[in-house]
Amino acid sequence: MRIAFFGDVVGKAGRTVLADELAGLRKRLSLDFVIVNAENAAGGFGITAKTAEELFDAGADVLTLGNHSFDQSEALGLVERDSRILRPCNYPEGTAPGRGSGLYDLPDGRRVLVMNVLLRLFMESLDDPFRRVSEELDSAPLGAVADAIVVDAHGEATSEKSALGVYCDGRASLVVGTHTHIPTADARILPGGTGYQTDAGMCGDYDSVIGMDKEEPVSRFVTHMRSSRFSAASGPATACGTFLETDDSTGLARRIEPIRIGGVLAGHEPSVS
Amino acid sequence: MRIAFFGDVVGKAGRTVLADELAGLRKRLSLDFVIVNAENAAGGFGITAKTAEELFDAGADVLTLGNHSFDQSEALGLVERDSRILRPCNYPEGTAPGRGSGLYDLPDGRRVLVMNVLLRLFMESLDDPFRRVSEELDSAPLGAVADAIVVDAHGEATSEKSALGVYCDGRASLVVGTHTHIPTADARILPGGTGYQTDAGMCGDYDSVIGMDKEEPVSRFVTHMRSSRFSAASGPATACGTFLETDDSTGLARRIEPIRIGGVLAGHEPSVS
Amino acid sequence: MRIAFFGDVVGKAGRTVLADELAGLRKRLSLDFVIVNAENAAGGFGITAKTAEELFDAGADVLTLGNHSFDQSEALGLVERDSRILRPCNYPEGTAPGRGSGLYDLPDGRRVLVMNVLLRLFMESLDDPFRRVSEELDSAPLGAVADAIVVDAHGEATSEKSALGVYCDGRASLVVGTHTHIPTADARILPGGTGYQTDAGMCGDYDSVIGMDKEEPVSRFVTHMRSSRFSAASGPATACGTFLETDDSTGLARRIEPIRIGGVLAGHEPSVS
Amino acid sequence: MRIAFFGDVVGKAGRTVLADELAGLRKRLSLDFVIVNAENAAGGFGITAKTAEELFDAGADVLTLGNHSFDQSEALGLVERDSRILRPCNYPEGTAPGRGSGLYDLPDGRRVLVMNVLLRLFMESLDDPFRRVSEELDSAPLGAVADAIVVDAHGEATSEKSALGVYCDGRASLVVGTHTHIPTADARILPGGTGYQTDAGMCGDYDSVIGMDKEEPVSRFVTHMRSSRFSAASGPATACGTFLETDDSTGLARRIEPIRIGGVLAGHEPSVS
Ligand SMILES: [Fe+2]
Ligand SMILES: [Fe+2]
Ligand SMILES: [Fe+2]
Ligand SMILES: [Fe+2]
Ligand SMILES: [Fe+2]
Ligand SMILES: [Fe+2]
Ligand SMILES: [Fe+2]
Ligand SMILES: [Fe+2]
């Protein structure tokens, strides 16, 4: 199976690069399934029905979220109604609306389990991400129930993301980080067969401070005062993500490569024959 | 000028990959100057006279440190004696021994200003890194006093590193992050001419949790109990860093590319004619 | 000199208890000077011209602030115009409007130096609070220039507040903490003669979660979701603070006692003959 | 029932004040049950068999711990063997040795449920403290199974402790905080009948920085360098705690008062007829 995962879409610039590029990519990479982290899709803060629709129209099959899941109040209803949008799976039971994971059917009958999890180092503490992910992995074992499993590890610290990758090694097809908005150059297959990349990077304008217009963030670091609101940078965006090819007999990773298309970053597109 | 910067050397594996590869790289890339972050050189924690010597022997011109600078008590004397070893420049005046920056002469008379700075988000708070770096940049203006300026931004948060890059844009040759131990794929030249990469990545064994044997870190995340000490992973290491070519007339960046050699990461070596 | 310091005034309940009680207290305790931390005076978030006026009318001589100083945008002008309102003194130079300290004249000619400082553990990092406070103390030495010196240490961690008290011992009349909204029972005179209390407590309704209506804070801890905004609790408030009597020949503390008047906490009023 | 709870015992000074005072207090206050937080009993760091024995000999019925539970490796066996020593109840199931709660029989047949819980704000994240405490409270309902219930809320932030108090109101006899080492002056009975005090304070020498010799902590805040190890302050200690009298028909609080005996703090002993 061929899967692409794209990191945090930031504002209109991020949505636009996917609208422009995703259809072509789906063809060129023969993608079976596309997952997009959309926690910053709406002007940099959360998701709305309209921005979700844009991303589905662009070619996303499933959207994941993170610590900004509910920045926009309409997301509360959205995640209830649309089972293709996932908020972190480790909210305490009975609290957040919506779902933290989903098992999705491909047209050909193969099934992909996707989950979104919020890590805890330097972040708000939801339930134990390691245990919750383990329970989710057990609910649809790779190669038995799920043909592929993708874990979106939304977190700050490289140590925690890396440990989660190791912890899931052999039980998931892909553990990929989000939240830092900067792609890492460590995509690889772990010894047990799980594809891993510490952060997918954002889909957004990198001529910015992690997707936001540069002036205000720099000013806040220097002065510790607010001058204005943060606004999503609007220059040409880079679509950053991860390409994964799994072995359909096991669900494990056969190949992993970063994707970087457009904008100011050095581009990279896997070449698929 | 051609400069290579290598991220946090972790233990013997990290020292070994530089001992094996750096001499060849210096030649192939016609490097004028090599900087290595060595805060984890001694078994993963700090630096000793012996490990520093190994890195100088391998071909480093200057070593930088970080939050682990003084994990080994012999580092207190080492940074006093050896002006090629830099601890963060934003310790309060009159506290830490040693230096936070240095202006180094190349054999041909060109001069490189190097500084190490500890950022503050999710870290211990030293003095304002933005102001301190600004003062250092003013002390040896790029293109006037210094032919090249390299800022090692040792920090956790991508936002703060990114903001520091923007803040220094046009006044430094290179702002490169360290500390997360994972290389980022965002090396680029900022609009004002400063080369930037959010994190250089570590020189260490990536079949690990950020350079440490996998078992104990995973166990601590899962159980919140200590089973044993952390020990540096000892498999084949990847030397991760950044290659920078500056324009000698301005000191600004002309070209920036990541370096990844050896170990389990996908390799990348700039091709220089 | 007899001084009273009151901790974080939270909303209307906090302003009301001071309006009701402060005039009487000034008389009963023969107070020469009254300082009130007002960072939450306006509905729990920041300060406005109107709420500042209420507190001055109630009998405050000087108002201090904290991490909520500029929650209300009109505070930006207010601290510029009114030298009796102090924001933290350790904003980087040239950033925040207003002042971080002031030397105030009593009608009888005695002078009181007051400063507000933001600590750093678990908080946003302004400049080094220890060094800044030391510089302020040097600017108007106790017993020489200032007849009394009060340091409002706005911070989260008891270790940092306690260390600042020790650090200032002998050079200030009073180091008193604010920010946690809970009064501590450790008022005492340190060996060098400085009065110290880790936190003055708030002036607010304690039948609450640190001054806010109980329901929403509890709900957020339990669900990690927002149901509504925080609103300041409106029941009868306790005025919490510290009473200090100094020796006019040295400026050091001769007597320190907590003040707790009104509301649901066990009351305490120093008895002064 | 009459219960006394004492906060974090710090080193020999803390153990000594309890050895000297607890027997007398048990008599004067007609105490039925005494709980002591002992996470810093062994030289400031953790607990050993010997220091536990000293505290039991002094008159403690149950010892609680906190984030320092396992600083001393012998604590691993100790909490397994001795059911009177409780570590936080919100370690993930199957990880830490020992117990997080216990139901203890008084000689007269009444039973006391005691639990220790680690909060999460600014601390390492164990499992959800609110849910775990709720489960514990349900396991031995107050007034039905347990004649009294005491919750030791080991945490940093006043907001989280206060919210836990509100959350348990009516279901526990006492929610009392530990960890900050500074007693709060907010002991009161919440509207639902639960006794509450944000922090019991430490049993230790207050002429210190939260129980440690002053010099090193201050030096670290000022210089960000280590000069020596932390060592527990050895001057006369204050035994800080909370006195609670419950209504045996409901298990709810009838009276709550702070206890402060010895050392440099202003003393307070409830007067019981
Ligand atoms: Fe994001
Ligand atoms: Fe995020
Ligand atoms: Fe490092
Ligand atoms: Fe580091
Ligand atoms: Fe406050
Ligand atoms: Fe505050
Ligand atoms: Fe403690
Ligand atoms: Fe503790």
Side-chain angles (χ1 to χ4, degrees):
Chain A
M1 193 185 302
R2 284 170 170 169
I3 296 170
F5 180 98
F6 291 91
D8 312 46
V9 172
V10 180
K12 189 180 178 56
R15 302 193 313 266
T16 300
V17 73
L18 288 180
D20 292 349
E21 299 290 345
L22 193 46
L25 259 184
R26 281 200 82 126
K27 275 191 206 154
R28 295 196 301 276
L29 301 181
S30 302
L31 295 174
D32 295 301
F33 204 76
V34 173
I35 305 161
V36 175
N37 184 298
E39 72 147 5
N40 309 106
F45 297 93
I47 189 171
T48 57
K50 189 186 153 296
T51 50
E53 208 49 52
E54 276 186 54
L55 293 169
F56 287 128
D57 287 350
D61 293 300
V62 164
L63 304 179
T64 54
L65 297 166
N67 55 315
H68 288 287
S69 296
F70 301 112
D71 282 5
Q72 307 288 339
S73 59
E74 70 178 271
L76 295 165
L78 191 61
V79 299
E80 283 281 10
R81 286 193 310 273
D82 194 328
S83 60
R84 299 169 302 169
I85 307 180
L86 302 174
R87 44 77 177 165
C89 64
N90 54 334
Y91 274 96
E93 213 186 311
T95 59
R99 300 151 198 81
S101 66
L103 188 60
Y104 302 96
D105 293 312
L106 266 58
D108 60 15
R110 287 178 296 174
R111 291 192 289 184
V112 185
L113 176 68
V114 181
M115 69 195 77
N116 181 226
V117 67
L118 198 63
L119 302 187
R120 301 199 286 192
L121 227 50
F122 314 129
M123 307 192 82
E124 184 171 7
S125 279
L126 299 193
D127 282 354
D128 181 348
F130 288 79
R131 204 171 5 156
R132 280 299 296 127
V133 164
S134 187
E135 289 164 358
E136 292 286 352
L137 294 175
D138 286 347
S139 76
L142 184 66
V145 175
D147 295 286
I149 299 180
V150 176
V151 179
D152 172 357
H154 198 77
E156 181 71 41
T158 53
S159 58
E160 194 176 13
K161 287 163 152 176
S162 182
L164 187 69
V166 168
Y167 179 74
C168 295
D169 189 17
R171 301 164 71 198
S173 310
L174 175 65
V175 174
V176 58
T178 52
H179 178 71
T180 72
H181 291 201
I182 304 294
T184 58
D186 63 339
R188 66 191 183 277
I189 300 176
L190 301 179
T194 294
Y196 174 80
Q197 185 175 333
T198 298
D199 205 294
M202 69 173 166
C203 297
D205 173 10
Y206 280 83
D207 184 17
S208 69
V209 173
I210 62 165
M212 295 289 149
D213 277 332
K214 292 182 268 194
E215 201 169 317
E216 180 64 14
V218 171
S219 166
R220 290 202 193 171
F221 276 111
V222 171
T223 68
H224 302 275
M225 299 290 295
R226 297 185 184 201
S227 291
S228 61
R229 297 193 168 197
F230 287 126
S231 59
S234 56
T238 308
C240 282
T242 305
F243 168 74
L244 185 85
E245 190 178 302
T246 62
D247 180 331
D248 274 327
S249 68
T250 62
L252 293 170
R254 202 150 61 186
R255 177 180 170 195
I256 184 169
E257 253 182 78
I259 302 171
R260 293 189 300 276
I261 295 181
V264 301
L265 294 198
H268 184 89
E269 182 177 328
S271 98
V272 171
S273 56
Chain B
M1 195 185 302
R2 284 169 170 170
I3 296 170
F5 180 98
F6 291 91
D8 312 45
V9 173
V10 181
K12 189 180 178 57
R15 302 192 314 264
T16 300
V17 73
L18 289 181
D20 291 348
E21 300 289 346
L22 192 46
L25 259 184
R26 280 200 84 126
K27 274 191 206 153
R28 295 197 301 277
L29 300 181
S30 304
L31 295 173
D32 295 300
F33 203 75
V34 173
I35 305 160
V36 175
N37 184 298
E39 72 147 6
N40 309 106
F45 297 92
I47 189 170
T48 56
K50 188 186 152 299
T51 50
E53 208 49 52
E54 276 186 55
L55 293 169
F56 287 127
D57 287 348
D61 293 299
V62 165
L63 304 179
T64 54
L65 297 167
N67 55 315
H68 288 286
S69 297
F70 301 111
D71 282 5
Q72 308 288 339
S73 59
E74 70 179 89
L76 295 164
L78 191 62
V79 299
E80 283 281 9
R81 286 194 309 272
D82 194 328
S83 60
R84 297 169 302 169
I85 307 179
L86 301 174
R87 45 76 177 165
C89 64
N90 54 334
Y91 275 96
E93 212 186 312
T95 59
R99 300 150 198 82
S101 66
L103 188 60
Y104 302 96
D105 293 312
L106 266 58
D108 61 14
R110 288 178 295 174
R111 290 191 289 183
V112 185
L113 176 69
V114 182
M115 71 195 76
N116 181 226
V117 67
L118 197 62
L119 303 188
R120 301 200 286 191
L121 226 48
F122 314 129
M123 308 191 82
E124 185 171 7
S125 280
L126 299 193
D127 283 353
D128 182 348
F130 287 79
R131 205 170 4 157
R132 279 298 298 126
V133 165
S134 187
E135 290 164 357
E136 292 286 352
L137 294 176
D138 287 346
S139 76
L142 185 65
V145 174
D147 295 286
I149 300 180
V150 176
V151 179
D152 173 357
H154 197 78
E156 182 70 42
T158 52
S159 58
E160 194 176 13
K161 287 162 152 176
S162 182
L164 187 69
V166 168
Y167 179 74
C168 295
D169 189 18
R171 301 164 72 198
S173 310
L174 175 65
V175 175
V176 58
T178 52
H179 177 69
T180 73
H181 290 202
I182 304 294
T184 58
D186 63 338
R188 67 188 182 277
I189 299 176
L190 300 178
T194 295
Y196 174 79
Q197 185 174 334
T198 299
D199 205 293
M202 69 174 167
C203 297
D205 173 9
Y206 280 82
D207 184 19
S208 70
V209 172
I210 62 165
M212 294 289 149
D213 276 332
K214 292 182 267 194
E215 202 169 318
E216 180 63 14
V218 171
S219 167
R220 290 201 194 172
F221 277 111
V222 171
T223 69
H224 302 275
M225 299 289 295
R226 298 185 183 202
S227 290
S228 61
R229 297 193 168 198
F230 287 126
S231 60
S234 56
T238 309
C240 283
T242 305
F243 168 74
L244 185 85
E245 191 178 303
T246 62
D247 180 332
D248 275 327
S249 67
T250 61
L252 293 169
R254 201 151 61 187
R255 178 180 169 195
I256 183 169
E257 253 183 78
I259 302 172
R260 293 189 300 276
I261 295 181
V264 300
L265 294 197
H268 184 89
E269 182 177 327
S271 101
V272 171
S273 57
Chain C
M1 195 184 302
R2 284 168 171 173
I3 297 171
F5 180 99
F6 291 91
D8 312 46
V9 173
V10 180
K12 189 180 179 55
R15 303 192 314 265
T16 300
V17 74
L18 288 180
D20 291 349
E21 300 289 346
L22 194 46
L25 260 183
R26 281 200 82 126
K27 273 190 208 156
R28 296 196 300 277
L29 300 181
S30 303
L31 295 173
D32 295 299
F33 203 75
V34 174
I35 305 161
V36 175
N37 185 297
E39 72 147 5
N40 309 107
F45 298 93
I47 189 171
T48 56
K50 189 184 153 298
T51 50
E53 210 48 52
E54 276 185 54
L55 294 169
F56 287 127
D57 287 350
D61 294 299
V62 164
L63 304 180
T64 54
L65 297 166
N67 56 314
H68 288 287
S69 297
F70 301 112
D71 282 6
Q72 307 289 338
S73 59
E74 71 179 89
L76 295 164
L78 191 61
V79 300
E80 284 280 11
R81 283 195 310 272
D82 194 328
S83 60
R84 298 169 302 168
I85 307 179
L86 301 174
R87 44 74 178 169
C89 65
N90 54 334
Y91 275 97
E93 211 187 313
T95 60
R99 300 152 198 80
S101 67
L103 188 61
Y104 302 96
D105 293 312
L106 265 58
D108 61 15
R110 287 178 296 173
R111 289 191 290 182
V112 185
L113 176 68
V114 181
M115 70 195 76
N116 180 227
V117 67
L118 197 63
L119 302 188
R120 300 199 288 193
L121 226 49
F122 313 129
M123 306 192 83
E124 185 171 6
S125 280
L126 299 193
D127 282 354
D128 182 349
F130 288 79
R131 205 170 4 155
R132 280 297 298 127
V133 164
S134 187
E135 290 164 359
E136 293 286 352
L137 295 175
D138 286 346
S139 76
L142 184 65
V145 174
D147 295 285
I149 300 181
V150 176
V151 179
D152 172 357
H154 197 77
E156 181 70 41
T158 52
S159 58
E160 194 176 13
K161 286 161 152 177
S162 183
L164 187 68
V166 169
Y167 180 74
C168 297
D169 189 18
R171 301 165 70 199
S173 312
L174 174 66
V175 174
V176 59
T178 51
H179 177 71
T180 73
H181 292 202
I182 303 294
T184 57
D186 63 338
R188 67 188 181 277
I189 300 175
L190 301 179
T194 295
Y196 173 80
Q197 185 175 333
T198 299
D199 204 294
M202 68 173 167
C203 296
D205 173 10
Y206 280 82
D207 184 18
S208 69
V209 173
I210 61 167
M212 294 290 148
D213 277 332
K214 292 183 267 192
E215 202 170 317
E216 180 63 14
V218 171
S219 166
R220 290 203 193 170
F221 276 112
V222 171
T223 69
H224 302 274
M225 300 288 296
R226 296 183 185 204
S227 290
S228 62
R229 298 194 167 195
F230 287 126
S231 58
S234 55
T238 309
C240 283
T242 306
F243 167 75
L244 185 85
E245 190 178 304
T246 62
D247 180 332
D248 274 326
S249 67
T250 62
L252 293 170
R254 201 151 59 185
R255 178 180 169 194
I256 183 168
E257 253 184 79
I259 302 171
R260 294 188 301 277
I261 294 181
V264 300
L265 293 197
H268 184 89
E269 183 177 327
S271 99
V272 171
S273 56
Chain D
M1 194 185 302
R2 284 169 170 172
I3 297 171
F5 180 99
F6 291 92
D8 313 46
V9 173
V10 181
K12 189 180 180 55
R15 303 192 314 264
T16 300
V17 73
L18 289 180
D20 291 349
E21 300 289 347
L22 193 46
L25 258 183
R26 282 200 83 127
K27 273 191 208 155
R28 295 196 301 277
L29 300 181
S30 302
L31 295 173
D32 295 300
F33 203 75
V34 173
I35 306 161
V36 175
N37 185 298
E39 72 147 5
N40 309 107
F45 298 93
I47 189 172
T48 57
K50 189 186 152 298
T51 50
E53 210 49 53
E54 276 185 55
L55 294 169
F56 288 128
D57 288 348
D61 293 299
V62 165
L63 303 180
T64 54
L65 297 166
N67 56 314
H68 288 288
S69 296
F70 301 112
D71 282 5
Q72 307 289 338
S73 59
E74 71 179 90
L76 295 165
L78 190 61
V79 299
E80 283 281 10
R81 284 195 310 273
D82 194 328
S83 60
R84 298 169 301 169
I85 307 179
L86 301 174
R87 44 76 176 165
C89 64
N90 55 333
Y91 275 97
E93 211 187 312
T95 59
R99 299 151 199 80
S101 66
L103 187 60
Y104 302 95
D105 293 313
L106 265 58
D108 60 15
R110 286 178 296 172
R111 290 190 289 184
V112 184
L113 176 68
V114 181
M115 70 195 76
N116 181 227
V117 66
L118 197 63
L119 301 188
R120 301 198 287 192
L121 227 49
F122 313 129
M123 306 193 82
E124 184 170 8
S125 281
L126 299 192
D127 283 354
D128 181 348
F130 288 78
R131 205 170 4 155
R132 280 299 297 126
V133 164
S134 186
E135 289 164 358
E136 293 287 352
L137 295 176
D138 287 345
S139 76
L142 184 65
V145 174
D147 295 286
I149 300 181
V150 176
V151 179
D152 173 356
H154 197 78
E156 181 70 42
T158 52
S159 59
E160 194 176 14
K161 286 162 152 176
S162 182
L164 187 69
V166 168
Y167 179 74
C168 296
D169 189 18
R171 301 164 71 198
S173 311
L174 175 66
V175 175
V176 59
T178 52
H179 177 70
T180 72
H181 291 202
I182 304 294
T184 58
D186 63 340
R188 68 190 182 276
I189 300 176
L190 301 179
T194 295
Y196 174 79
Q197 185 175 332
T198 298
D199 204 293
M202 69 173 167
C203 296
D205 173 9
Y206 280 81
D207 184 18
S208 69
V209 173
I210 63 167
M212 294 290 148
D213 276 332
K214 292 182 267 192
E215 201 170 317
E216 179 64 14
V218 171
S219 166
R220 290 202 194 171
F221 276 111
V222 171
T223 69
H224 302 274
M225 300 289 295
R226 297 183 185 204
S227 290
S228 62
R229 299 195 168 195
F230 287 126
S231 59
S234 56
T238 309
C240 282
T242 306
F243 168 74
L244 185 85
E245 189 178 304
T246 62
D247 180 331
D248 274 328
S249 67
T250 62
L252 293 170
R254 203 151 58 185
R255 177 179 170 195
I256 184 169
E257 253 184 78
I259 302 171
R260 294 188 301 275
I261 295 182
V264 300
L265 294 197
H268 184 90
E269 183 177 327
S271 100
V272 171
S273 57

